[in-house]
């Protein structure tokens, strides 16, 4: 949450920062701002999206070779001009941007007020900044030293970047818990929350670690820990192309990302799955094959859509590997003092690799001796680096706030892990194993077939767009898909939607059913199919509108339903990768029909780096 960008070098800083903020806007869009250092320190900020800021700055002299910028997802203080970042210190000499939460800010604020400080905003950021300024003044030390002293007293998470009017050739940055990438150019440096603002200038980056302070000049990058000891910057080469973060002719990132899924699933399987040879090769998993095979328990921790992928995996692991699996909301798991036993394996699932709750959950479990495997999309992200092993999903940058292609790629990885472990354990028969490899290899093509129905789904969306509520129902592997369908609809169209196990419907939600309620059944061919049909009849008997995702060739279900979405035939384990596509499209087209900003839904941010 919140995106930060900064530049120091010989180019014009403002256009680089502005473009960077637009790329990071998925992280928060309540307000944005820039601070530029030329002959003096100037700060410009505005409530609303980056485009609103840009408009107010047209015609202004924005010349500067050093600057910082921020796009905000509000935590402390409502979205407003004065709560927008950058903030200026009381003496007007320092400006700072921040991503994270300073938990003990109230105590620090009280101390500073006693010392005569006045605050212009409600933010924790302004408190930290003035705390640093106060240390600077009292200790007469360099800014980096003041930052180190201040951070030792901070409880919470942060990436901060400061510019100092008295030291215009230096940026000071620090991180704990929130992400910071530094791009290394020739005589210039770029700082950002992720690599997307940096990629067109340089592919050489340094991922700053927790508790590191960076002292950045045009031609020098020094990293130190909070004990003032030099750390060696580890330079990584970015494996990402600019085209991957642009819309490529699509109206929205969400639509582009839905349509990318044949390719992203293929990329995820490529080089790993060889159906012909009957092998699955995943280096970061192979190294922990024994631990997985012998695990007493697999605990999956994740949030949101990634948690739904974890639920599908629970069913798959239990069936194919005959192992006990628990799927935990990371936010609950981290505070529950969970019992972690020797032999437990934790799988963390995360698109961004930066979700604060998931990150802390695995840090805690790691301390207790668990093996941590990450299923992560963003290369080099905090969760990936904290995990012992794991596998990247290779879905490419996901910019739309609603997660789509990351989900199907997560499922592809989790199926591969389960197949691998199950086969090695002997809990899956070779015939089924080999058939599943063939079926999995065919999924990208089948996703293409599903996507061909997009016009039909659009028509369906227009038919049901005015419904105030939706119910999504499924059993077995399709239950998590129902949850995911409901989440997609809620976040994109603001229509209230709930997902339930189809049988659970009778224990309460059926009271909602009337002739106005659309009920989306994920009713693809599986062992529960007959039972799901009975549930459909129960809805129909109460005049609910039945929309169903079914498998091609099913001639009976259409006799019950009002509307249909059809997927090609596949194994029930793999069907979620197909049925979810229809639900993503349905949410997208309903959102569009209702005039919603589908890429940036209200109140949301792509990467939830605060707990
Ligand atoms: O980056 P992560 O996968 O860890 O993010 C988890 C959730 O924040 C995320 O899936 C969120 O629920 C999305 N908005 C869902 O579309």
């Amino acid at each position: 949450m919140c995106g930060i960008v900064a530049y120091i070098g010989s180019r014009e800083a403002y256009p680089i920062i502005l473009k960077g903020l637009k790329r990071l806007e998925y992280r928060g869009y309540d307000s944005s701002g820039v601070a530029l250092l030329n002959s003096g320190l100037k700060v410009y900020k505005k409530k609303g999206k980056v485009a609103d800021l840009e408009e107010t700055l047209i015609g202004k002299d924005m010349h500067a070779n050093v600057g910082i910028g921020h796009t905000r997802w509000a935590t402390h203080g409502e979205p407003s001009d004065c709560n927008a970042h950058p903030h200026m210190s009381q003496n007007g000499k320092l400006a700072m941007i921040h991503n994270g939460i300073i938990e003990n800010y109230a105590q620090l604020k009280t101390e500073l007020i006693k010392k005569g400080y006045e605050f212009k905003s409600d933010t924790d950021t302004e408190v930290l900044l003035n705390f640093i300024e106060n240390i600077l003044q009292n200790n007469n030390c360099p800014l980096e030293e003041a930052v180190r002293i201040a951070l030792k007293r901070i409880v919470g998470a942060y990436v901060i970047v400061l510019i100092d009017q008295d030291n215009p050739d230096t940026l000071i940055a620090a991180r704990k818990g929130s992400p910071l990438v530094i791009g290394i150019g020739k005589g210039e440096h770029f700082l950002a929350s992720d690599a997307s603002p940096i990629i067109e200038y340089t592919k050489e980056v340094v991922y700053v670690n927790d508790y590191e302070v960076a002292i950045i000049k045009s031609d020098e990058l020094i990293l130190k820990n909070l004990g003032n000891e030099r750390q060696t910057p580890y330079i990584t080469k970015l494996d990402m192309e600019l085209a991957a973060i642009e819309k490529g002719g699509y109206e929205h990132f969400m639509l582009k990302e839905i349509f990318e899924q044949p390719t992203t699933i293929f990329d995820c399987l490529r080089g790993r799955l060889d159906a012909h040879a009957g092998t699955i090769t995943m280096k970061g998993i192979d190294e922990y094959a024994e631990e997985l095979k012998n695990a007493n328990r697999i605990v999956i921790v994740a949030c949101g859509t990634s948690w739904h992928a974890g639920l599908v995996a629970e069913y798959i692991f239990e069936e194919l590997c005959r192992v006990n699996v628990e799927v935990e909301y990371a936010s609950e798991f981290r505070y529950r003092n969970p019992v972690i036993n020797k032999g437990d394996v934790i799988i963390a699932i995360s698109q961004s690799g930066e979700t604060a709750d998931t990150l802390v959950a695995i840090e805690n479990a790691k301390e207790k001796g668990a093996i941590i495997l990450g299923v992560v999309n963003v290369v080099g992200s905090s969760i990936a680096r904290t995990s012992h092993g794991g596998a990247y999903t290779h879905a490419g940058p996901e910019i739309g706030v609603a997660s789509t292609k990351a989900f199907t790629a997560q499922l592809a990885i989790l199926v591969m892990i389960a197949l691998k472990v199950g086969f090695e354990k002997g809990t899956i028969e070779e015939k089924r194993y080999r058939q599943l490899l063939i079926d999995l290899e065919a999924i990208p093509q089948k996703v293409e077939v599903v996507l061909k129905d997009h016009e039909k789904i659009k028509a369906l969306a227009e038919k049901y767009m005015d419904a105030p509520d939706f119910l999504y129902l499924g059993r077995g592997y399709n239950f998590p898909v129902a949850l995911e369908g409901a989440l997609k609809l809620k976040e994109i169209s603001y229509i209230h939607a709930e997902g339930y196990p189809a049988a659970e419907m009778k224990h309460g939600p059926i009271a909602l059913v009337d002739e106005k309620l659309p009920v989306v059944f994920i009713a693809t061919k599986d062992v529960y199919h007959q039972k799901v049909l009975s549930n459909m009849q129960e809805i129909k008997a109460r005049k609910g509108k039945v929309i169903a995702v079914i498998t091609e060739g099913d001639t009976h279900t259409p006799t019950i339903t009002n509307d249909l979405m059809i997927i090609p035939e596949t194994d029930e384990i793999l069907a979620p990768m197909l049925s979810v596509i229809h639900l993503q499209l349905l949410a997208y087209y309903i959102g569009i029909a209702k005039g919603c900003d589908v890429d940036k839904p209200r109140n949301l941010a792509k990467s939830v780096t605060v707990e």
Side-chain angles (χ1 to χ4, degrees), residues 302-307 349-355 358 383 401-404 406 410 484 487-488 491 604-608:
C303 302
T305 290
S306 298
W307 185 77
I349 308 174
S350 176
Q351 187 288 127
S352 63
E354 300 295 347
T355 299
T358 310
I383 293 172
V401 165
S403 193
T404 53
Q410 288 164 349
E484 176 60 8
L487 176 64
K488 284 292 88 89
E491 60 182 343
L604 285 172
K606 181 74 183 160
S607 186
V608 184

Side-chain angles (χ1 to χ4, degrees), residues 499-510:
Y500 259 91
E504 213 24 54
M505 175 260 303
K506 283 199 281 289
H507 299 278
I510 198 163

Side-chain angles (χ1 to χ4, degrees), residues 288-301:
Y288 293 93
E290 281 307 304
E291 283 84 350
L292 275 163
K293 245 168 72 182
N294 299 322
N296 296 322
R297 189 174 66 136
I298 293 176
V299 182
I300 298 178
V301 291

Side-chain angles (χ1 to χ4, degrees), residues 78-95:
E78 59 167 16
S80 67
D81 289 357
C82 72
N83 285 333
H85 300 212
H87 290 280
M88 265 187 146
S89 64
Q90 183 139 300
N91 67 11
K93 289 189 173 185
L94 300 176

Side-chain angles (χ1 to χ4, degrees), residues 134-425:
N134 189 247
I135 294 171
L136 196 61
Q137 286 171 351
N138 293 343
N139 293 267
N140 197 18
C141 59
L143 179 57
E144 58 157 293
E145 180 61 23
V147 168
R148 265 195 303 275
I149 296 170
L151 294 182
K152 285 183 193 158
R153 267 208 62 196
I154 291 305
V155 180
Y158 53 80
V159 156
I160 52 169
V161 186
L162 291 109
I163 46 178
D164 177 2
Q165 189 173 290
D166 292 342
N167 290 290
D169 62 344
T170 310
L171 291 172
I172 304 288
R175 104 157 238 187
K176 190 218 146 192
S178 303
L180 175 61
V181 189
I182 301 181
I184 319 281
K186 288 201 170 62
E188 57 186 349
H189 285 105
F190 307 82
L191 285 75
S193 299
D194 71 28
S196 60
I198 297 174
I199 190 170
E200 67 189 276
Y201 308 107
T202 177
K203 292 217 160 174
E204 295 202 332
V205 297
V206 170
Y207 293 97
V208 177
N209 291 311
D210 276 352
Y211 303 109
E212 283 180 346
V213 175
I215 301 109
I216 309 133
K217 297 181 190 292
S218 303
D219 53 3
E220 186 179 43
L221 165 65
I222 295 174
L223 286 183
K224 291 183 176 176
N225 63 17
L226 292 186
N228 198 21
E229 292 160 335
R230 289 278 285 255
Q231 307 292 300
T232 310
Y234 179 72
I235 298 177
T236 309
K237 263 220 145 29
L238 285 177
D239 179 22
M240 188 203 277
E241 295 306 324
L242 190 58
I245 52 170
E246 293 181 336
K247 280 192 199 149
Y250 285 89
E251 211 178 321
H252 298 99
F253 281 112
M254 183 177 174
L255 191 62
K256 176 188 173 223
E257 287 157 9
I258 292 173
F259 272 84
E260 274 175 346
Q261 288 175 104
T263 312
T264 51
I265 300 172
F266 178 79
D267 286 346
C268 180
L269 303 177
R270 191 164 43 131
R272 290 166 163 164
L273 172 74
D274 185 339
H276 184 69
T279 55
I280 294 169
T281 316
M282 288 191 284
K283 198 170 162 291
I285 297 294
D286 294 343
E287 285 166 5
Y288 293 93
E290 281 307 304
E291 283 84 350
L292 275 163
K293 245 168 72 182
N294 299 322
N296 296 322
R297 189 174 66 136
I298 293 176
V299 182
I300 298 178
V301 291
C303 302
T305 290
S306 298
W307 185 77
H308 296 156
L311 282 183
V312 179
E314 177 182 23
Y315 286 79
I316 299 175
F317 274 99
E318 288 192 352
E319 175 164 350
L320 300 185
C321 311
R322 303 309 300 146
V323 61
N324 180 15
V325 181
E326 282 163 31
V327 187
E328 300 275 358
Y329 283 117
S331 54
E332 291 297 316
F333 184 76
R334 64 178 282 197
Y335 283 114
R336 222 184 46 217
N337 191 15
V339 178
I340 312 258
N341 295 312
K342 199 163 172 277
D344 286 350
V345 175
I346 310 279
I347 300 183
I349 308 174
S350 176
Q351 187 288 127
S352 63
E354 300 295 347
T355 299
D357 284 323
T358 310
L359 180 59
V360 179
I362 60 168
E363 283 170 350
N364 294 348
K366 199 175 176 185
E367 265 173 34
K368 291 181 176 164
I371 297 291
I372 316 291
L373 301 178
V375 176
V376 176
N377 194 34
V378 177
V379 176
S381 56
S382 303
I383 293 172
R385 289 186 295 141
T386 305
S387 302
H388 293 107
Y392 283 116
T393 46
H394 296 319
E398 191 181 66
I399 314 271
V401 165
S403 193
T404 53
K405 62 177 180 171
F407 179 73
T408 45
Q410 288 164 349
L411 293 183
I413 292 284
L414 293 161
V415 171
M416 282 194 284
I417 299 176
L419 281 168
K420 198 174 175 51
V421 175
F423 189 56
E424 286 181 18
K425 261 178 102 170

Side-chain angles (χ1 to χ4, degrees), residues 66-82:
V66 187
I68 57 180
H70 187 272
T71 177
R72 178 171 187 246
W73 187 85
T75 57
H76 295 67
E78 59 167 16
S80 67
D81 289 357
C82 72

